[in-house]
Amino acid sequence: MKTARVTKGTIGNGVMGKLWAERSAILHSQWRYELSKKQGGLCYYCEEPMKRKGPKACTLDHLIPLSRGGKDIKRNCVAACFTCNQAKGDLTFAEIDKLFEGADGVA
């Protein structure tokens, strides 16, 4: 019988990798639901109501992106519509704030 080889610091593509992916998907689904409810069903960024499908579909966004050293923990996540999440990309919230600074004449 062939076993999955998992090295230190990696999950691997075998059984453990599949289990981790399933656990992560379930956890993220739960976080997305809880955060959306906490935010009143509104996108964290545009503050418009989120839908079940389409460009306003609810997604989970990491305030500090994983690619930038952010952690995959609930307090680093917000519920955001698909459109805003895609537009944000791997920018941090602070970087987005700088982009819009003064755009509405406030800052």
Side-chain angles (χ1 to χ4, degrees):
M1 180 166 93
K2 191 175 185 180
T3 59
R5 182 170 183 220
V6 179
T7 59
K8 186 176 181 180
T10 66
I11 298 299
N13 293 326
V15 175
M16 291 302 291
K18 289 177 185 173
L19 290 174
W20 178 259
E22 288 174 14
R23 178 205 163 276
S24 183
I26 291 168
L27 193 59
H28 285 181
S29 177
Q30 181 181 350
W31 289 354
R32 189 172 55 245
Y33 171 78
E34 291 171 3
L35 290 166
S36 175
K37 190 174 177 180
K38 181 180 175 183
Q39 294 168 207
L42 302 177
C43 172
Y44 184 81
Y45 301 107
C46 69
E47 298 180 344
E48 291 185 20
M50 293 181 286
K51 310 274 191 230
R52 290 182 60 79
K53 292 182 178 180
K56 286 294 172 188
C58 182
T59 63
L60 187 70
D61 182 53
H62 292 84
L63 292 171
I64 301 172
L66 300 177
S67 64
R68 305 281 293 277
K71 297 200 185 285
D72 194 19
I73 55 176
K74 190 174 178 183
R75 69 175 182 252
N76 185 38
C77 296
V78 294
C81 70
F82 178 80
T83 303
C84 288
N85 195 345
Q86 291 296 301
K88 177 183 174 272
D90 70 348
L91 296 175
T92 64
F93 192 69
E95 291 168 334
I96 287 176
D97 238 8
K98 285 181 185 176
L99 284 176
F100 292 101
E101 194 171 280
D104 58 1
V106 175

